[in-house]
Amino acid sequence: MGWFEELDKQVQARTAHTFVLHGSVADDVRMGNSLLRPYEALALLPVLKGVAIISSFNLATGVRFLSDEMKSLFLRLVIQPIVDVIGGKEISAEAYFDLNKRDIQDMLTWYEKLLCLKWETVGGMSDLPEREKQYVRAQNPGRSTPFAVVVFEYQESKTPPESATGSSRVDRVVVERLEWWAQWRAIAKTGNIIILTTEFLGGIAPQLRDSSKGIVPIEILLPDREEQERTIRALAEEGIRIVAENDTAQTSEVAGLLAGLSHVEVRQIFRQMQADTGKVSLPTLFDKKAKIIGSRLGDMVRLVKPA
C-alpha cells in the first residue's frame, strides 16, 4: 500500500487528524497519466473529494491555496472578520492577506480558525457572497468529508525545530502549536486534517513523531523500477529517448539504473542532456546520477560504474 492509499484509509477511519508525510515529499506523484506534487494530489484522495479549502504554508511562499475559489472562501470566512474587527476600512481582505501571508503568528491564528470550521456552520451562513455560496454548494461533500486541510511544508527548514539557534525559533513556535492541535478535540470533531511534510523524519521535533499524541507518520517512497519505467515512457512520448551506442536502450534496463532518483530528478537529467547533446546516453546518465547522489549524501556513498 502506497502513501496515498494509506492516508486515505487513515483519514476515512478517523484514527487521527494530524499526519506527517516524510521521505520523497518534494517529488512528483503519479496519478494516472499525470505527475502532481503531493500537495496537489491531496484533492484527489477519495475521502477528500469535495473538501472546501486546501491550504499550505512554507517560509518561502507563505500561505497559499490549491485554487482561487478556495482562497476566496478563506478570505471571506477567516480574513474579512479580522479586517472588520480592526476597523480596516482602508484595506481589503485580500490586501491584508497579501501583506501578512508570510507572518508566522498570523498564519497560526488564521489556520486555527479555519480548522475549527465545519460544513454545517459554513453552509448555514446567510451573509456569504453569492460566489462563495455557489462554490460551497457545488462541493456537495459526503457526510465524513473534512471542510479544510492545512499543510505545513517543512522540507525547506534548515535546522531541527528543537535546535537552540535563532533561525529555528519559528519552527519551535509552529511545533508547539501543531502538538496542541493534534490533541485538540475541537478540531477532531470537525474532521479537518493537518499535514506536516518533511524529507527527513528525524529532522523534526520528537513530539511530532509521537503516535501517542495522535500524530501518524506516513512515508512517501522514491519511485520503484515500475514507476521509473512509466516515467521513461512518458519522456519518450515527449521525444526524449535514451540511446545506448546506436540503439534505443531497454526501458527496464534504464529503469534499474535510475533507482534512487525521484521523478523530478529523472526528468531534469533527461531534459538537460537532450538540450546539451541532442540525445540521452547511458554512460552520461550514470555520471549525472552519481553527481546527484553524491551531492545528496556527501562522501558517504560512492557509485561505481558497471563494466
Side-chain angles (χ1 to χ4, degrees):
M1 181 183 295
W3 76 269
F4 193 76
E5 293 78 12
E6 178 64 22
L7 180 59
D8 189 70
K9 183 184 78 170
Q10 295 277 0
V11 172
Q12 194 165 12
R14 292 210 172 196
T15 53
H17 62 268
T18 304
F19 302 89
V20 178
L21 296 181
H22 62 98
S24 189
V25 296
D27 193 16
D28 292 331
V29 177
R30 184 174 295 282
M31 304 300 297
N33 293 324
S34 301
L35 286 171
L36 304 173
R37 299 298 297 274
Y39 166 60
E40 298 169 327
L42 290 175
L44 300 180
L45 276 173
V47 75
L48 294 183
K49 283 186 177 178
V51 68
I53 296 174
I54 299 179
S55 178
S56 75
F57 174 85
N58 64 44
L59 295 175
T61 63
V63 177
R64 68 188 193 279
F65 302 89
L66 206 54
S67 71
D68 290 339
E69 291 80 8
M70 292 180 179
K71 178 181 178 181
S72 180
L73 184 59
F74 177 85
L75 292 177
R76 182 63 188 85
L77 296 175
V78 176
I79 305 300
Q80 189 61 55
I82 296 173
V83 172
D84 291 343
V85 167
I86 64 176
K89 295 181 180 179
E90 304 296 324
I91 188 170
S92 66
E94 184 160 10
Y96 181 85
F97 168 78
D98 289 339
L99 189 65
N100 297 287
K101 66 181 181 181
R102 290 182 177 83
D103 185 272
I104 300 296
Q105 292 297 342
D106 280 332
M107 174 272 294
L108 293 172
T109 299
W110 298 347
Y111 276 172
E112 189 159 298
K113 183 171 183 178
L114 175 64
L115 288 166
C116 289
L117 289 173
K118 298 185 293 185
W119 279 107
E120 297 84 349
T121 305
V122 177
M125 290 182 174
S126 58
D127 60 341
L128 272 182
E130 188 58 32
R131 178 187 174 189
E132 280 70 41
K133 282 183 180 178
Q134 289 179 4
Y135 172 70
V136 170
R137 285 196 296 265
Q139 295 306 94
N140 192 25
R143 296 184 65 181
S144 61
T145 304
F147 179 79
V149 178
V150 298
V151 181
F152 294 88
E153 296 179 308
Y154 255 94
Q155 69 268 25
E156 296 186 20
S157 182
K158 301 302 181 186
T159 54
E162 64 268 36
S163 167
T165 64
S167 60
S168 67
R169 288 174 188 165
V170 164
D171 297 302
R172 291 202 302 274
V173 170
V174 174
V175 165
E176 289 169 3
R177 192 67 64 92
L178 280 169
E179 185 182 10
W180 160 243
W181 287 349
Q183 301 172 80
W184 195 10
R185 291 185 179 181
I187 295 177
K189 288 180 179 179
T190 67
N192 293 331
I193 302 299
I194 304 160
I195 295 174
L196 172 68
T197 68
T198 178
E199 291 178 330
F200 177 48
L201 188 60
I204 63 173
Q207 58 265 43
L208 294 184
R209 292 177 260 140
D210 188 348
S211 59
S212 68
K213 297 181 183 294
I215 301 172
V216 177
I218 298 175
E219 186 174 9
I220 300 181
L221 299 171
L222 283 166
D224 59 17
R225 189 185 190 112
E226 185 178 339
E227 272 289 299
Q228 297 288 27
E229 287 184 20
R230 284 197 283 266
T231 298
I232 293 166
R233 286 194 290 269
L235 285 164
E237 291 175 4
E238 299 174 22
I240 303 176
R241 298 176 181 274
I242 291 189
V243 176
E245 297 179 353
N246 297 321
D247 302 313
T248 301
Q250 291 292 323
T251 299
S252 59
E253 174 190 350
V254 177
L257 176 61
L258 297 174
L261 296 180
S262 69
H263 288 301
V264 172
E265 289 166 339
V266 170
R267 296 175 78 86
Q268 181 181 345
I269 288 174
F270 277 33
R271 286 174 175 155
Q272 184 61 53
M273 291 172 67
Q274 181 87 350
D276 290 344
T277 65
K279 66 179 183 179
V280 180
S281 66
L282 284 176
T284 309
L285 179 62
F286 182 90
D287 292 338
K288 295 278 188 183
K289 173 186 174 178
K291 186 174 181 180
I292 288 176
I293 298 296
S295 65
R296 191 191 296 163
L297 301 176
D299 295 327
M300 291 188 291
V301 172
R302 182 183 176 189
L303 298 184
V304 179
K305 185 179 297 187

